[in-house]
Amino acid sequence: MLGMKLEEESDNARAARIRERLKNEKESTLIILDDLWAALDFNLLGIPLESDGERSSSYKGCKVLLISESKQVLLSQMEGKENSIYSLGVLKEKEAETLFKKKAGISDSENFEFEKLATQIASKCNGLPTTIITTARALKIRAAQYGRTFINGLKNKTLIAASEFSTKLSYELLESKELKDTFLLCARLGQDALIMDLVKYCIGLGFLEGIYTIREARSRVYAWLEA
């Protein structure tokens, strides 16, 4: 973030450093916070919202773009300023199908059965780009690994909702037990968990063999999350 390497051990210290950097920026900074499911305390993230001791919803050197599937979350975060919320519609059926096939690496000239299967899965993504892309990529990797056996297996199943299908594939594609255990822990902690919460649980549950400092633990968990 901002070309900074955050080496502080605690969340408060890291937030303080980010806050100081943002306040000293000479140009306006755009911060994008995606996939929100609950209101956030910007001060805890190091995003300054106060000037001369008074709360300001538009800090001079910082603009914040919030993205959420829940309008109520945005209203709560923005103190009810509905005129500042812009809704984006989902993809139409044909658009969703085209995006899915592109991300899955399926062309119109390929196996008809696989193309038909991809169309059925795409229809369960409800026009949501993130779900479409995640599911398509998982399908692409799995089909490349197991080929016809995997495709025939899917054909013989009643297709579940794309979100569940995508989650199951993502889990099965993880290469190590450590990654799978961390994946399940993330699901258990839910949407509101902080990364440092995840780090603490990974340490306590013994997922981090050979790791002896908080910094090393955080680096390992960040690497897992990016895997």
Side-chain angles (χ1 to χ4, degrees), residues 36-56:
L36 297 183
W37 290 92
L40 297 174
D41 185 338
F42 286 172
N43 283 315
L44 292 180
L45 297 177
I47 301 175
L49 290 177
E50 297 180 359
S51 178
D52 297 328
E54 296 182 4
R55 183 179 178 85
S56 171

mmCIF file of all heavy atoms in Angstrom, residues 36-56:
data_model
loop_
_atom_site.group_PDB
_atom_site.id
_atom_site.type_symbol
_atom_site.label_atom_id
_atom_site.label_comp_id
_atom_site.label_asym_id
_atom_site.label_seq_id
_atom_site.Cartn_x
_atom_site.Cartn_y
_atom_site.Cartn_z
ATOM 1 N N LEU A 36 -17.422 -5.814 1.145
ATOM 2 C CA LEU A 36 -17.796 -5.476 2.521
ATOM 3 C C LEU A 36 -19.080 -6.201 2.922
ATOM 4 O O LEU A 36 -20.042 -6.251 2.166
ATOM 5 C CB LEU A 36 -18.017 -3.971 2.662
ATOM 6 C CG LEU A 36 -16.816 -3.049 2.418
ATOM 7 C CD1 LEU A 36 -17.214 -1.611 2.683
ATOM 8 C CD2 LEU A 36 -15.651 -3.440 3.300
ATOM 9 N N TRP A 37 -19.076 -6.740 4.143
ATOM 10 C CA TRP A 37 -20.265 -7.407 4.673
ATOM 11 C C TRP A 37 -20.710 -6.811 5.997
ATOM 12 O O TRP A 37 -21.710 -7.232 6.570
ATOM 13 C CB TRP A 37 -20.001 -8.906 4.824
ATOM 14 C CG TRP A 37 -19.902 -9.582 3.505
ATOM 15 C CD1 TRP A 37 -18.756 -9.793 2.778
ATOM 16 C CD2 TRP A 37 -20.976 -10.107 2.716
ATOM 17 N NE1 TRP A 37 -19.050 -10.427 1.594
ATOM 18 C CE2 TRP A 37 -20.400 -10.635 1.523
ATOM 19 C CE3 TRP A 37 -22.346 -10.195 2.902
ATOM 20 C CZ2 TRP A 37 -21.171 -11.225 0.530
ATOM 21 C CZ3 TRP A 37 -23.113 -10.794 1.903
ATOM 22 C CH2 TRP A 37 -22.522 -11.292 0.740
ATOM 23 N N ALA A 38 -19.946 -5.850 6.490
ATOM 24 C CA ALA A 38 -20.298 -5.169 7.738
ATOM 25 C C ALA A 38 -19.597 -3.818 7.744
ATOM 26 O O ALA A 38 -18.615 -3.608 7.024
ATOM 27 C CB ALA A 38 -19.883 -5.991 8.948
ATOM 28 N N ALA A 39 -20.126 -2.898 8.545
ATOM 29 C CA ALA A 39 -19.511 -1.575 8.623
ATOM 30 C C ALA A 39 -18.109 -1.675 9.213
ATOM 31 O O ALA A 39 -17.828 -2.527 10.055
ATOM 32 C CB ALA A 39 -20.383 -0.653 9.481
ATOM 33 N N LEU A 40 -17.223 -0.797 8.745
ATOM 34 C CA LEU A 40 -15.835 -0.795 9.195
ATOM 35 C C LEU A 40 -15.528 0.467 9.993
ATOM 36 O O LEU A 40 -16.127 1.516 9.760
ATOM 37 C CB LEU A 40 -14.881 -0.855 7.991
ATOM 38 C CG LEU A 40 -14.941 -2.098 7.107
ATOM 39 C CD1 LEU A 40 -14.040 -1.905 5.896
ATOM 40 C CD2 LEU A 40 -14.516 -3.330 7.878
ATOM 41 N N ASP A 41 -14.567 0.348 10.888
ATOM 42 C CA ASP A 41 -14.034 1.515 11.584
ATOM 43 C C ASP A 41 -12.782 1.948 10.840
ATOM 44 O O ASP A 41 -11.731 1.311 10.941
ATOM 45 C CB ASP A 41 -13.700 1.148 13.035
ATOM 46 C CG ASP A 41 -13.253 2.364 13.845
ATOM 47 O OD1 ASP A 41 -12.810 3.358 13.236
ATOM 48 O OD2 ASP A 41 -13.341 2.310 15.081
ATOM 49 N N PHE A 42 -12.893 3.026 10.052
ATOM 50 C CA PHE A 42 -11.769 3.465 9.232
ATOM 51 C C PHE A 42 -10.544 3.822 10.071
ATOM 52 O O PHE A 42 -9.412 3.653 9.629
ATOM 53 C CB PHE A 42 -12.180 4.658 8.371
ATOM 54 C CG PHE A 42 -13.071 4.289 7.216
ATOM 55 C CD1 PHE A 42 -13.664 5.285 6.446
ATOM 56 C CD2 PHE A 42 -13.304 2.975 6.892
ATOM 57 C CE1 PHE A 42 -14.477 4.956 5.372
ATOM 58 C CE2 PHE A 42 -14.113 2.630 5.823
ATOM 59 C CZ PHE A 42 -14.702 3.621 5.069
ATOM 60 N N ASN A 43 -10.779 4.344 11.269
ATOM 61 C CA ASN A 43 -9.644 4.698 12.120
ATOM 62 C C ASN A 43 -8.802 3.473 12.464
ATOM 63 O O ASN A 43 -7.569 3.555 12.539
ATOM 64 C CB ASN A 43 -10.122 5.378 13.402
ATOM 65 C CG ASN A 43 -10.511 6.824 13.173
ATOM 66 O OD1 ASN A 43 -9.788 7.560 12.505
ATOM 67 N ND2 ASN A 43 -11.645 7.230 13.703
ATOM 68 N N LEU A 44 -9.446 2.322 12.652
ATOM 69 C CA LEU A 44 -8.714 1.096 12.959
ATOM 70 C C LEU A 44 -7.912 0.606 11.768
ATOM 71 O O LEU A 44 -6.945 -0.152 11.924
ATOM 72 C CB LEU A 44 -9.684 0.009 13.423
ATOM 73 C CG LEU A 44 -10.370 0.237 14.776
ATOM 74 C CD1 LEU A 44 -11.297 -0.926 15.094
ATOM 75 C CD2 LEU A 44 -9.329 0.401 15.886
ATOM 76 N N LEU A 45 -8.312 1.014 10.566
ATOM 77 C CA LEU A 45 -7.576 0.639 9.354
ATOM 78 C C LEU A 45 -6.480 1.638 9.016
ATOM 79 O O LEU A 45 -5.685 1.408 8.114
ATOM 80 C CB LEU A 45 -8.545 0.535 8.162
ATOM 81 C CG LEU A 45 -9.629 -0.532 8.261
ATOM 82 C CD1 LEU A 45 -10.539 -0.464 7.036
ATOM 83 C CD2 LEU A 45 -9.018 -1.914 8.379
ATOM 84 N N GLY A 46 -6.466 2.758 9.749
ATOM 85 C CA GLY A 46 -5.457 3.773 9.463
ATOM 86 C C GLY A 46 -5.898 4.772 8.419
ATOM 87 O O GLY A 46 -5.088 5.521 7.876
ATOM 88 N N ILE A 47 -7.201 4.800 8.116
ATOM 89 C CA ILE A 47 -7.733 5.753 7.141
ATOM 90 C C ILE A 47 -8.258 6.972 7.897
ATOM 91 O O ILE A 47 -9.243 6.873 8.624
ATOM 92 C CB ILE A 47 -8.866 5.121 6.311
ATOM 93 C CG1 ILE A 47 -8.354 3.877 5.583
ATOM 94 C CG2 ILE A 47 -9.428 6.130 5.321
ATOM 95 C CD1 ILE A 47 -9.424 3.116 4.841
ATOM 96 N N PRO A 48 -7.614 8.127 7.779
ATOM 97 C CA PRO A 48 -8.014 9.299 8.561
ATOM 98 C C PRO A 48 -9.331 9.896 8.083
ATOM 99 O O PRO A 48 -9.524 10.152 6.910
ATOM 100 C CB PRO A 48 -6.853 10.274 8.346
ATOM 101 C CG PRO A 48 -6.251 9.860 7.053
ATOM 102 C CD PRO A 48 -6.456 8.383 6.925
ATOM 103 N N LEU A 49 -10.232 10.116 9.024
ATOM 104 C CA LEU A 49 -11.528 10.714 8.708
ATOM 105 C C LEU A 49 -11.782 11.955 9.553
ATOM 106 O O LEU A 49 -12.870 12.500 9.532
ATOM 107 C CB LEU A 49 -12.656 9.706 8.951
ATOM 108 C CG LEU A 49 -12.731 8.534 7.982
ATOM 109 C CD1 LEU A 49 -13.849 7.592 8.382
ATOM 110 C CD2 LEU A 49 -12.956 9.032 6.559
ATOM 111 N N GLU A 50 -10.812 12.362 10.291
ATOM 112 C CA GLU A 50 -10.985 13.511 11.174
ATOM 113 C C GLU A 50 -10.009 14.622 10.814
ATOM 114 O O GLU A 50 -8.871 14.375 10.438
ATOM 115 C CB GLU A 50 -10.779 13.102 12.630
ATOM 116 C CG GLU A 50 -11.796 12.085 13.093
ATOM 117 C CD GLU A 50 -11.565 11.684 14.542
ATOM 118 O OE1 GLU A 50 -10.614 12.198 15.152
ATOM 119 O OE2 GLU A 50 -12.345 10.861 15.036
ATOM 120 N N SER A 51 -10.482 15.849 10.919
ATOM 121 C CA SER A 51 -9.634 17.013 10.638
ATOM 122 C C SER A 51 -9.867 18.055 11.722
ATOM 123 O O SER A 51 -10.986 18.462 11.973
ATOM 124 C CB SER A 51 -9.983 17.602 9.261
ATOM 125 O OG SER A 51 -9.218 18.753 9.000
ATOM 126 N N ASP A 52 -8.790 18.425 12.370
ATOM 127 C CA ASP A 52 -8.878 19.409 13.472
ATOM 128 C C ASP A 52 -9.844 18.951 14.560
ATOM 129 O O ASP A 52 -10.583 19.747 15.137
ATOM 130 C CB ASP A 52 -9.312 20.774 12.933
ATOM 131 C CG ASP A 52 -8.298 21.352 11.962
ATOM 132 O OD1 ASP A 52 -7.088 21.075 12.147
ATOM 133 O OD2 ASP A 52 -8.718 22.065 11.049
ATOM 134 N N GLY A 53 -9.857 17.639 14.775
ATOM 135 C CA GLY A 53 -10.684 17.106 15.849
ATOM 136 C C GLY A 53 -12.130 16.913 15.491
ATOM 137 O O GLY A 53 -12.921 16.455 16.297
ATOM 138 N N GLU A 54 -12.540 17.232 14.262
ATOM 139 C CA GLU A 54 -13.935 17.074 13.852
ATOM 140 C C GLU A 54 -14.041 16.002 12.778
ATOM 141 O O GLU A 54 -13.232 15.943 11.854
ATOM 142 C CB GLU A 54 -14.490 18.407 13.311
ATOM 143 C CG GLU A 54 -14.548 19.506 14.372
ATOM 144 C CD GLU A 54 -15.160 20.780 13.796
ATOM 145 O OE1 GLU A 54 -15.574 20.739 12.624
ATOM 146 O OE2 GLU A 54 -15.210 21.783 14.506
ATOM 147 N N ARG A 55 -15.050 15.157 12.906
ATOM 148 C CA ARG A 55 -15.259 14.073 11.940
ATOM 149 C C ARG A 55 -15.649 14.647 10.580
ATOM 150 O O ARG A 55 -16.470 15.542 10.480
ATOM 151 C CB ARG A 55 -16.376 13.143 12.440
ATOM 152 C CG ARG A 55 -16.600 11.940 11.518
ATOM 153 C CD ARG A 55 -17.682 11.057 12.087
ATOM 154 N NE ARG A 55 -17.942 9.931 11.218
ATOM 155 C CZ ARG A 55 -17.255 8.817 11.243
ATOM 156 N NH1 ARG A 55 -16.261 8.678 12.067
ATOM 157 N NH2 ARG A 55 -17.575 7.817 10.426
ATOM 158 N N SER A 56 -15.035 14.105 9.524
ATOM 159 C CA SER A 56 -15.350 14.542 8.166
ATOM 160 C C SER A 56 -15.537 13.324 7.278
ATOM 161 O O SER A 56 -14.727 12.410 7.310
ATOM 162 C CB SER A 56 -14.206 15.399 7.595
ATOM 163 O OG SER A 56 -14.416 15.652 6.217
#
